[in-house]
Amino acid sequence: MEEQGVSRNFIEQMIDKDLEDGVYQSVCTRFPPEPNGYLHIGHAKSILLNYGIAQKYHGTFHMRFDDTNPTKERVEFVESIKEDILWLGADWGDHLHFASDYFEKMYEAAVSLIKKGKAYVCDLNAEEIREYRGTLTEPGKESPYRNRSVEENLQLFESMRAGEVPDGAKVLRAKIDMASSNMNMRDPVIYRVAHMSHHNTGDQWCIYPMYDFAHPLEDAFEGVTHSLCTLEFEDHRPLYDWVVQEVGFEYPPRQIEFAKLYLTNVVTGKRYIKKLVEDGIVDGWDDPRLVSIAALRRRGYTPESIQMFVNLCGISKAQSSVDYAMLEYCVREDLKLKKTRMMAVLDPIKLVIDNYPEGQTEELELINNLENEELGTRKVTFGRELYIEREDFMEEPPKKYFRLFPGNEVRLMQAYFVKCESFVKDENGRVVEVHCTYDPETKSGSGFTGRKVKGTIHWVSAQDAVQAQVRLYENIIDEEKGVYNEDGSLNLNPDSLTVKQAYVEPALAQAGPGDSFQFVRNGYYCVDAKDSREGAVVFNRIVSLKSSFKLPKN
Ligand code: ATP
Ligand code: MG
């Protein structure tokens, strides 16, 4: 379209061609989840792809619940899915649809096939149907019910609908080709009897359409033009095309497949996550160690970071797996200039400035983000007693250790130079206090150029700092040994969650659910929306500052 020099992925190239050839006048896409679980990062790819294409071509994006299977679906999931999609920024406007709203039209479509002699009621049971189907190397056999008259089929199908047929006793099948090299075309079942309540239609129906029949119809009813789905449906495309053609749509939709997004060593399977929740290993589907959209949001990932990630992954037909480090890279990039950089001490040890007058304090004005001055400044109290990280002091430092050790001088971040004079140990030989002197001339921002120091460490004022719980995460999988144990269970990392009591700047104690910050020298953190209480904030580490990921150059 308009933009030049922007490379088009293969789907966009196909759409361009369809528009050029006049196959369609405009573009309509959809995201069609089954409401049977929470959405995960893989679904985000599909959502953003479909929504992005609709945007790019000034078309329409539909949100549609593919709720044709009453056994697995729950209303709870409908709500969580809507929330996740809106959060990702995909706005469906007036186009919130439910496949179950089309049950009557689907029934009519089936009737029209029967009338054309393109569908028949079959009395074979599931096992017989399987036997008759043949194999990849042998053609199938025709069902003895295949040549029922149109009248008989119409009457039988009606009796199926009327509840006169028990579950499994009859099905409606498309009449295509039992010798087709594509197994999906060997007279697939398109309706089954299931005396079961549905979350939307209640007990109105006791026959339900099969996915391969329902899905193309849903797309066609809504005027979807490009039905984007993942590769496992490639072999189903001939059936998709058959359905929309035989039912006779003027502008039938077109199915295009792309590769699923997989993250290396990351668990997305519902079965596994369900078990982790049931075994109490994670605290729900939104546990920040998971990659459901709800979990990523709770952890502090932003919609922009997920968008960037999905863009970097690209769209292709080749199955591949992406490193989690790339997702981390994206959230770091997104938060880098947006977030205030605050001080928090995760493993505190006291620092006493012996020559700072007892009882005195001063307010320092600290810059919130040295790379983005628009974020302004904040006031922080400085005083005689501070907390610093335990690892920022060493009694006997190794080479190239530039932080505190006896006789060494460092900069306290955006404050003064301090020089280590002595330290105190407890009865177990553990250092409990570091004593320093400070040089009032070296105040940050004063223009002091007298001498330089090699190390800068962060701190919080002991008098003002507030305690907060911080949670550090690692992959729930023990990556060294692979995802699964020999018995098929997950190979869990015992250190996937570490909880610490930190001292943080007092302003952080006022932060609200979902607020996020950089804790300098450590990482990005987000206030946990589930477990934080008034006066007791809990922080999730989104990501550390250290990155192993390098953006590939192209
Ligand atoms: P899962 O079993 O992983 O939850 P699903 O395919 O059963 O996934 P659906 O609700 O059927 O979930 O999927 C909705 C849409 O999301 C489909 O169009 C599907 O192709 C797409 N999708 C599912 N998983 C991925 C993935 N890993 N990458 C990209 N798209 C995906
Ligand atoms: Mg599915």
Side-chain angles (χ1 to χ4, degrees):
M1 295 201 35
E2 303 93 291
E3 314 110 286
Q4 301 227 312
V6 180
S7 71
R8 319 292 268 170
N9 65 45
F10 78 96
I11 294 177
E12 292 162 347
Q13 290 172 17
M14 288 165 99
I15 295 177
D16 287 345
K17 177 140 196 326
D18 281 347
L19 293 174
E20 263 168 51
D21 294 352
V23 180
Y24 304 110
Q25 302 306 312
S26 59
V27 171
C28 178
T29 59
R30 88 289 173 260
F31 178 67
E34 239 186 300
N36 66 355
Y38 289 88
L39 298 181
H40 55 65
I41 183 78
H43 295 114
K45 173 172 180 169
S46 179
I47 294 163
L48 294 171
L49 170 67
N50 279 291
Y51 180 67
I53 283 187
Q55 292 283 97
K56 204 169 210 165
Y57 289 90
H58 307 291
T60 333
F61 168 73
H62 291 195
M63 168 67 221
R64 181 206 313 142
F65 285 99
D66 205 339
D67 57 351
T68 53
N69 181 357
T71 37
K72 294 189 288 178
E73 291 152 8
R74 301 231 305 269
V75 180
E76 168 199 357
F77 295 128
V78 170
E79 292 313 313
S80 82
I81 289 173
K82 285 204 281 197
E83 186 184 349
D84 291 347
I85 296 176
L86 286 179
W87 178 76
L88 279 174
D91 180 3
W92 56 76
D94 297 335
H95 290 285
L96 175 61
H97 302 295
F98 288 84
S100 54
D101 287 340
Y102 310 134
F103 280 164
E104 188 65 45
K105 286 167 86 173
M106 290 177 185
Y107 180 83
E108 284 164 17
V111 167
S112 78
L113 291 184
I114 295 175
K115 287 183 176 159
K116 285 174 78 177
K118 297 283 184 180
Y120 62 97
V121 173
C122 181
D123 298 7
L124 296 181
N125 63 33
E127 193 169 324
E128 289 163 335
I129 289 180
R130 211 174 308 122
E131 274 167 28
Y132 274 70
R133 225 172 146 218
T135 64
L136 283 172
T137 49
E138 283 168 58
K141 272 193 307 180
E142 294 191 351
S143 159
Y145 306 97
R146 198 173 199 259
N147 295 313
R148 277 175 161 154
S149 68
V150 169
E151 288 66 37
E152 189 183 3
N153 280 321
L154 284 174
Q155 184 238 316
L156 288 174
F157 190 46
E158 215 177 291
S159 71
M160 282 166 66
R161 177 183 183 163
E164 292 156 14
V165 176
D167 289 7
K170 292 186 195 311
V171 291
L172 185 71
R173 299 177 68 174
K175 192 172 184 174
I176 310 179
D177 178 6
M178 288 308 291
S180 172
S181 59
N182 184 330
M183 302 280 283
N184 294 309
M185 300 297 272
R186 295 185 187 173
D187 291 10
V189 173
I190 59 177
Y191 260 95
R192 68 195 166 112
V193 180
H195 291 266
M196 216 178 263
S197 281
H198 184 279
H199 77 95
N200 184 20
T201 55
D203 293 323
Q204 205 183 326
W205 292 89
C206 60
I207 55 171
Y208 291 97
M210 303 301 287
Y211 180 89
D212 279 342
F213 180 63
H215 202 84
L217 290 178
E218 294 156 23
D219 287 340
F221 292 150
E222 290 177 14
V224 166
T225 54
H226 297 87
S227 179
L228 313 181
C229 66
T230 39
L231 284 178
E232 72 271 24
F233 293 104
E234 196 163 24
D235 288 346
H236 298 241
R237 193 188 332 134
L239 180 52
Y240 184 103
D241 290 341
W242 184 92
V243 170
V244 292
Q245 194 195 323
E246 293 299 339
V247 174
F249 292 96
E250 199 178 350
Y251 299 104
R254 162 172 196 190
Q255 174 179 304
I256 305 173
E257 309 85 17
F258 64 95
K260 274 196 177 184
L261 170 62
Y262 289 105
L263 283 173
T264 313
N265 289 330
V266 170
V267 186
T268 54
K270 286 180 193 125
R271 192 160 60 93
Y272 291 103
I273 293 175
K274 194 155 170 276
K275 179 128 175 48
L276 291 174
V277 175
E278 281 166 2
D279 294 351
I281 291 166
V282 296
D283 83 341
W285 288 81
D286 62 352
D287 185 290
R289 286 165 289 181
L290 300 174
V291 291
S292 63
I293 311 268
L296 291 169
R297 176 169 60 232
R298 181 174 167 199
R299 173 105 170 229
Y301 275 85
T302 55
E304 293 83 356
S305 63
I306 294 175
Q307 175 88 59
M308 188 193 303
F309 174 68
V310 165
N311 288 345
L312 276 180
C313 289
I315 299 297
S316 87
K317 277 218 171 237
Q319 207 75 258
S320 67
S321 176
V322 181
D323 222 340
Y324 190 83
M326 189 157 113
L327 186 57
E328 296 187 320
Y329 165 85
C330 293
V331 77
R332 263 187 222 108
E333 282 297 300
D334 183 46
L335 299 181
K336 192 163 70 182
L337 301 181
K338 287 184 187 168
K339 298 298 171 183
T340 301
R341 301 177 180 182
M342 310 281 276
M343 295 194 283
V345 175
L346 272 62
D347 187 10
I349 180 175
K350 193 166 259 184
L351 181 116
V352 182
I353 304 173
D354 292 327
N355 63 339
Y356 196 91
E358 227 156 319
Q360 181 180 311
T361 58
E362 65 187 290
E363 265 199 339
L364 301 179
E365 186 166 13
L366 306 196
I367 298 164
N368 283 332
N369 185 327
L370 288 165
E371 292 180 72
N372 179 9
E373 61 184 38
E374 281 176 22
L375 293 185
T377 60
R378 70 186 183 285
K379 299 258 168 56
V380 170
T381 308
F382 186 84
R384 179 181 155 89
E385 295 200 351
L386 310 172
Y387 289 111
I388 61 167
E389 297 286 355
R390 177 167 291 280
E391 63 169 28
D392 286 340
F393 170 80
M394 282 188 106
E395 187 180 349
E396 289 167 40
K399 278 214 172 79
K400 302 220 171 134
Y401 184 88
F402 299 122
R403 292 170 270 169
L404 278 177
F405 54 86
N408 193 42
E409 189 174 45
V410 300
R411 182 197 313 272
L412 291 173
M413 194 174 280
Q414 297 200 49
Y416 296 96
F417 287 9
V418 288
K419 184 172 171 199
C420 178
E421 306 290 352
S422 63
F423 56 93
V424 180
K425 284 183 174 175
D426 67 9
E427 63 276 16
N428 303 316
R430 191 173 141 92
V431 177
V432 289
E433 242 176 55
V434 178
H435 285 257
C436 290
T437 50
Y438 88 119
D439 177 355
E441 300 294 305
T442 58
K443 185 170 178 176
S444 178
S446 68
F448 175 78
T449 53
R451 61 187 182 280
K452 288 202 163 88
V453 287
K454 281 192 169 157
T456 298
I457 65 175
H458 63 278
W459 52 275
V460 292
S461 142
Q463 191 187 313
D464 281 31
V466 176
Q467 284 213 314
Q469 188 185 107
V470 301
R471 298 174 179 173
L472 310 181
Y473 301 104
E474 286 178 17
N475 193 348
I476 200 148
I477 294 298
D478 183 347
E479 295 179 18
E480 306 256 296
K481 298 198 225 123
V483 179
Y484 305 103
N485 295 314
E486 270 172 23
D487 64 357
S489 62
L490 292 175
N491 181 19
L492 297 175
N493 170 9
D495 301 322
S496 62
L497 170 63
T498 307
V499 177
K500 287 182 178 283
Q501 276 307 118
Y503 279 112
V504 302
E505 289 185 33
L508 285 170
Q510 308 302 319
D515 288 353
S516 54
F517 307 89
Q518 186 189 104
F519 289 180
V520 291
R521 299 175 64 218
N522 186 301
Y524 290 97
Y525 284 79
C526 179
V527 177
D528 190 272
K530 203 163 164 180
D531 294 339
S532 294
R533 299 282 172 270
E534 183 91 40
V537 207
V538 175
F539 287 97
N540 294 318
R541 181 153 79 180
I542 310 167
V543 66
S544 72
L545 294 181
K546 291 195 198 81
S547 173
S548 56
F549 176 80
K550 288 256 164 14
L551 196 59
K553 290 208 170 67
N554 49 0

